[in-house]
Amino acid sequence: MQVHTQQTPQFETPPHLEKRNKLVIVCSKGSLDMAYPPLMLATTGAAMGMEVHLYFTFWGINMLRKKTVDSLKISPVGNPAMPMPNILGMIPGMTRLATRMMRKSMEKMKMPTIMDMIKTAHDTGVHFHACSPSMQMMNLTKDDLIPEVDDIIGATTYLDLASEDAITLFI
Amino acid sequence: MQVHTQQTPQFETPPHLEKRNKLVIVCSKGSLDMAYPPLMLATTGAAMGMEVHLYFTFWGINMLRKKTVDSLKISPVGNPAMPMPNILGMIPGMTRLATRMMRKSMEKMKMPTIMDMIKTAHDTGVHFHACSPSMQMMNLTKDDLIPEVDDIIGATTYLDLASEDAITLFI
Amino acid sequence: MQVHTQQTPQFETPPHLEKRNKLVIVCSKGSLDMAYPPLMLATTGAAMGMEVHLYFTFWGINMLRKKTVDSLKISPVGNPAMPMPNILGMIPGMTRLATRMMRKSMEKMKMPTIMDMIKTAHDTGVHFHACSPSMQMMNLTKDDLIPEVDDIIGATTYLDLASEDAITLFI
């Protein structure tokens, strides 16, 4: 493992460009494995002093629902990165097994649960926004959401946040 | 649900940094659920006066194919965010059922179809670009694509668009 | 296929804003189909003179593992963009078949393998970073990784790279 600094030209930040201090992430997945990355980046960004916004849309809304936030799953089926043939993934209980295996790895690393991470992120000032059309489509009201959610906003507000020179990601 | 404005320091946009007025999205998925987000963001962005580019690559090409644009599907299998065990998802017809359920939700919300959204986006000036290596890999020519497609471009042109201070997303 | 230049207002790059010359991609997927896009964009960006960083996290670590880099797969199950019913995808060997079909298409187009693309990218100065919490979670050490990996970094270093006015993508 070597660092090849010579092969890459160094690009200096032009004097008028300060570092970006804003992170705006769209969270569109409702699976356990894709719930961790936005929350890890969000808490890290907040700890670095960044202004952080998470915009939950489509399946991502499940990360904000009281009913689902503690039971996010990963599926062994259709995920070729998991070392398990599809036919095994079909056996009832396999999603539960894969999910439990991942939770165990997380616990062994002393990784907090998703709900714990949401609380920490919220406490450090990360903003939680639920997407209004997704709420409508899933027939949800704000009472279905955990109290850490700041507000329910549309795509216009999201794009407005993203346009303010933010680091933008769609997860 | 509370807005915690005090916990987050306010970052002022430095005077030399205007808001970004460009949105460049890579569309790489060919499923119904992941077809909506880029089109909703694109039409919203265009309505806000942004210059919007959608770059369709890999499975995303299916959103531009005459043959597939009206029959995009979602799968109940391997999608743990859907409330259905994998074994049920295996029963022939379940992908069709899950897709029909989503279409019904969309209709109830008076959401337009993907083809309608593409037309609206196109009419408001959103640019549709097909990725040339993906076209080759799928053995397609421009005659296989809907007329709303502006052109077939490579990764260089995409990166050039993205480098012009755009909001960038990979969906 | 028409180019509708008139419908889109032209946005000039303000004089103080030069083109962005940095590309920072998070690689979070471990499937063959989602391994190509970051590597294609990375090599293209490097050829254009950009400073390029790839940050491999979660399943994306499989792209850097000696043990898995040459055997990335795509799954016909739960991927509604593939023209195959879920029930067929369940037949043992179908993941292998779908993967072989994709590899054949790639070969016909004279597309290099993932390992070849990694070598090319590395030779042109693309930086390969492995995510440290992901390494821990998967119980891996640097000896498990291919020698093209530059270093093992955390989310803070990633965000620092991304904040330097980079084009950012999460794949």
Side-chain angles (χ1 to χ4, degrees):
Chain A
M1 198 171 308
Q2 301 162 308
V3 186
H4 294 260
T5 46
Q6 274 190 306
Q7 292 173 331
T8 313
Q10 293 304 311
F11 295 91
E12 302 271 330
T13 308
H16 57 271
L17 280 180
E18 293 145 41
K19 286 209 175 199
R20 293 189 285 187
N21 233 336
K22 195 162 184 170
L23 173 62
V24 180
I25 305 180
V26 182
C27 308
S28 73
K29 305 293 187 295
S31 61
L32 183 60
D33 47 339
M34 284 300 122
Y36 275 100
L39 289 168
M40 290 178 70
L41 292 173
T43 46
T44 307
M48 291 166 74
M50 287 185 175
E51 181 184 340
V52 184
H53 296 268
L54 300 179
Y55 178 56
F56 295 80
T57 188
F58 273 79
W59 312 115
I61 292 285
N62 285 328
M63 289 172 67
L64 301 183
R65 287 178 72 186
K66 289 174 190 162
K67 200 178 152 183
T68 48
V69 63
D70 287 322
S71 55
L72 300 177
K73 293 179 186 67
I74 55 167
S75 174
V77 178
N79 183 350
M82 289 208 68
M84 192 182 288
N86 289 326
I87 193 80
L88 275 187
M90 278 307 95
I91 296 173
M94 274 302 176
T95 293
R96 209 160 58 226
L97 180 64
T99 305
R100 208 185 304 153
M101 278 168 58
M102 182 164 165
R103 280 193 212 281
K104 282 236 169 113
S105 297
M106 293 300 189
E107 273 167 39
K108 237 176 53 188
M109 281 179 63
K110 306 207 192 310
M111 284 278 293
T113 65
I114 293 297
M115 195 58 230
D116 285 341
M117 290 194 75
I118 289 176
K119 280 178 181 155
T120 305
H122 179 256
D123 285 350
T124 52
V126 171
H127 298 278
F128 288 77
H129 310 284
C131 160
S132 46
S134 302
M135 295 284 290
Q136 264 186 278
M137 196 180 75
M138 298 170 83
N139 226 347
L140 301 172
T141 69
K142 70 186 177 111
D143 293 334
D144 296 304
L145 304 184
I146 55 176
E148 283 77 10
V149 178
D150 289 297
D151 47 21
I152 300 172
I153 66 174
T156 308
T157 309
Y158 157 72
L159 282 174
D160 211 46
L161 289 168
S163 70
E164 285 165 353
D165 202 34
I167 299 171
T168 54
L169 300 171
F170 186 103
I171 299 186
Chain B
M1 195 170 308
Q2 300 162 308
V3 185
H4 294 261
T5 44
Q6 275 189 308
Q7 292 173 331
T8 314
Q10 292 305 309
F11 295 92
E12 301 272 330
T13 308
H16 57 270
L17 279 181
E18 292 144 41
K19 285 210 173 197
R20 292 189 285 187
N21 233 336
K22 195 163 182 171
L23 173 61
V24 180
I25 304 179
V26 182
C27 308
S28 74
K29 305 292 186 296
S31 61
L32 183 60
D33 47 339
M34 284 300 121
Y36 275 100
L39 289 168
M40 290 178 72
L41 292 173
T43 46
T44 307
M48 292 166 74
M50 287 185 175
E51 182 184 339
V52 184
H53 296 268
L54 300 179
Y55 178 56
F56 295 81
T57 187
F58 273 78
W59 312 115
I61 291 283
N62 285 329
M63 289 173 66
L64 301 184
R65 286 178 72 185
K66 288 174 191 163
K67 200 178 153 183
T68 48
V69 64
D70 288 321
S71 55
L72 301 176
K73 292 179 187 65
I74 55 167
S75 175
V77 179
N79 183 352
M82 289 209 69
M84 192 181 287
N86 289 326
I87 193 81
L88 275 188
M90 278 306 96
I91 297 173
M94 273 302 176
T95 293
R96 209 162 58 226
L97 181 63
T99 305
R100 208 185 305 153
M101 278 169 59
M102 181 165 166
R103 279 193 214 281
K104 281 238 169 114
S105 296
M106 293 301 190
E107 272 169 38
K108 237 175 52 187
M109 284 179 59
K110 307 210 190 308
M111 284 277 294
T113 65
I114 293 298
M115 195 58 230
D116 285 342
M117 290 195 75
I118 289 175
K119 279 179 181 155
T120 305
H122 179 255
D123 285 350
T124 52
V126 171
H127 298 278
F128 288 77
H129 309 284
C131 159
S132 45
S134 302
M135 295 284 291
Q136 264 186 280
M137 196 180 74
M138 298 170 82
N139 225 346
L140 301 173
T141 68
K142 71 183 175 113
D143 293 334
D144 296 304
L145 303 183
I146 55 176
E148 283 77 11
V149 178
D150 289 298
D151 47 22
I152 300 172
I153 65 173
T156 308
T157 309
Y158 157 72
L159 282 174
D160 210 47
L161 289 168
S163 70
E164 287 165 352
D165 201 34
I167 299 170
T168 53
L169 300 171
F170 186 101
I171 299 186
Chain C
M1 196 170 306
Q2 299 162 309
V3 185
H4 293 260
T5 45
Q6 274 189 309
Q7 293 172 330
T8 314
Q10 292 304 309
F11 295 91
E12 301 271 330
T13 308
H16 57 270
L17 280 179
E18 293 146 41
K19 287 212 173 196
R20 292 190 284 186
N21 233 337
K22 195 163 182 169
L23 173 63
V24 180
I25 305 178
V26 182
C27 307
S28 73
K29 305 291 186 299
S31 62
L32 184 59
D33 47 339
M34 284 300 122
Y36 275 100
L39 289 168
M40 289 178 71
L41 292 173
T43 45
T44 307
M48 291 166 74
M50 287 184 174
E51 182 183 339
V52 184
H53 296 268
L54 300 179
Y55 178 56
F56 295 81
T57 187
F58 272 80
W59 313 116
I61 291 284
N62 285 329
M63 289 173 66
L64 300 184
R65 286 177 72 186
K66 288 175 191 162
K67 199 178 153 183
T68 48
V69 63
D70 288 321
S71 55
L72 300 177
K73 294 179 187 63
I74 54 168
S75 174
V77 179
N79 182 351
M82 288 208 69
M84 191 181 287
N86 288 328
I87 192 81
L88 275 187
M90 276 309 95
I91 298 172
M94 273 303 176
T95 293
R96 207 161 59 226
L97 181 63
T99 306
R100 207 185 306 154
M101 277 170 59
M102 183 165 165
R103 279 194 213 280
K104 281 239 167 114
S105 296
M106 292 300 190
E107 272 168 37
K108 237 174 55 185
M109 284 179 60
K110 307 210 190 310
M111 284 277 293
T113 64
I114 293 298
M115 195 58 230
D116 284 342
M117 290 194 75
I118 289 175
K119 280 180 182 154
T120 305
H122 179 255
D123 286 349
T124 52
V126 171
H127 298 278
F128 288 77
H129 310 284
C131 159
S132 46
S134 302
M135 295 285 291
Q136 264 186 280
M137 196 180 74
M138 298 170 82
N139 225 348
L140 301 173
T141 68
K142 69 183 178 113
D143 292 334
D144 296 303
L145 304 183
I146 54 176
E148 282 78 10
V149 178
D150 289 296
D151 47 22
I152 300 172
I153 65 174
T156 307
T157 310
Y158 157 73
L159 282 174
D160 210 49
L161 288 168
S163 71
E164 287 166 352
D165 202 34
I167 298 171
T168 54
L169 300 171
F170 187 101
I171 299 186

